[in-house]
Amino acid sequence: GQSLEQPSEVTAVEGAIVQINCTYQTSGFYGLSWYQQHDGGAPTFLSYNALDGLEETGRFSSFLSRSDSYGYLLLQELQMKDSASYFCAVSDQAGTALIFGKGTTLSVSS
Amino acid sequence: ETGVTQSPTHLIKTRGQQVTLRCSSQSGHNTVSWYQQALGQGPQFIFQYYREEENGRGNFPPRFSGLQFPNYSSELNVNALELDDSALYLCASSSTAAKNEQFFGPGTRLTVL
């Protein structure tokens, strides 16, 4: 079977740093993506890792360890607008189906 | 550049009916994927279309079917609706040049009574 595990909820305050972990068990693996979804909105792409290591995009960074079947999303300098659901997703081939985790709800308070 | 659009926004149907949902992909994108998202869950892959051909299918029964048109827009058809089909249906498009980044539309909220 295919499964992705991520925490269901995370809370933090403005200005803090938060790490959302994702472990996966899938029949094939090509890359790990992260998407953000605000309530009632469309998922939006944040990052993609195909190789081990850290990818940085502004306040957000994503890490992958293929040998550990593990990745994380790091959010720095948290802002209220970062309150949303964050999904990790695995693709088993380039550009094909995304298998999503159940999502992590991040609540940022002042 | 126009993003991914979907219609209708909301839809209410009864059990046993049929429904067609529509998606216009982002300009320059030739691949469309459909996902079903139940409340509080992550999106689940239904199928993907590339250049009008089905290019992968998730664990959904045959009553879920689709089409992609020459302009790369797409339809999702669901026959014999069941209560469990109530969900947000998301369409996502991507390009050959950036296959790993999918752009999602706002979704169609389907309620089956």
Side-chain angles (χ1 to χ4, degrees):
Chain A
Q2 311 206 80
S3 68
L4 290 89
E5 298 290 331
Q6 50 180 128
S8 57
E9 289 183 26
V10 173
T11 58
V13 296
E14 275 186 302
I17 299 173
V18 139
Q19 180 174 311
I20 300 174
N21 298 321
C22 174
T23 56
Y24 58 87
Q25 194 170 11
T26 55
S27 53
F29 180 85
Y30 197 87
L32 184 71
S33 302
W34 289 91
Y35 284 79
Q36 178 194 61
Q37 186 178 31
H38 285 98
D39 261 352
T44 55
F45 173 82
L46 294 176
S47 69
Y48 174 76
N49 295 68
L51 304 175
D52 286 359
L54 191 68
E55 296 279 343
E56 297 179 74
T57 311
R59 295 187 296 115
F60 294 179
S61 304
S62 58
F63 172 83
L64 174 65
S65 168
R66 294 174 68 117
S67 59
D68 295 323
S69 297
Y70 164 76
Y72 66 72
L73 179 69
L74 190 74
L75 299 88
Q76 303 182 76
E77 300 172 21
L78 282 173
Q79 301 173 10
M80 298 287 282
K81 68 178 182 180
D82 297 329
S83 294
S85 292
Y86 292 84
F87 296 91
C88 59
V90 164
S91 50
D92 61 358
Q93 295 178 51
T96 57
L98 289 173
I99 310 301
F100 282 83
K102 291 186 177 181
T104 299
T105 301
L106 171 63
S107 299
V108 181
S109 58
S110 55
Chain B
E1 185 177 85
T2 308
V4 179
T5 59
Q6 292 185 242
S7 62
T9 308
H10 296 88
L11 203 51
I12 299 175
K13 292 284 189 178
T14 56
R15 268 187 308 174
Q17 285 189 308
Q18 178 266 339
V19 70
T20 297
L21 310 182
R22 295 179 174 84
C23 169
S24 290
S25 59
Q26 185 161 312
S27 175
H29 288 186
N30 54 16
T31 303
V32 172
S33 304
W34 285 92
Y35 294 84
Q36 179 194 67
Q37 186 176 25
L39 209 57
Q41 302 293 315
Q44 271 197 286
F45 175 70
I46 304 175
F47 43 57
Q48 183 182 84
Y49 279 84
Y50 171 67
R51 293 187 175 178
E52 302 177 60
E53 298 283 333
E54 189 178 285
N55 186 42
R57 187 180 182 92
N59 191 25
F60 279 81
R63 59 189 186 84
F64 285 78
S65 63
L67 280 175
Q68 187 179 32
F69 299 99
N71 66 354
Y72 302 129
S73 66
S74 177
E75 283 183 358
L76 164 65
N77 298 290
V78 187
N79 293 322
L81 283 167
E82 301 177 0
L83 297 179
D84 283 351
D85 296 334
S86 294
L88 181 68
Y89 288 85
L90 295 161
C91 161
S93 72
S94 55
S95 68
T96 308
K99 298 176 191 179
N100 299 305
E101 181 174 352
Q102 295 195 13
F103 291 79
F104 283 81
T108 294
R109 172 72 62 188
L110 173 64
T111 302
V112 182
L113 302 176

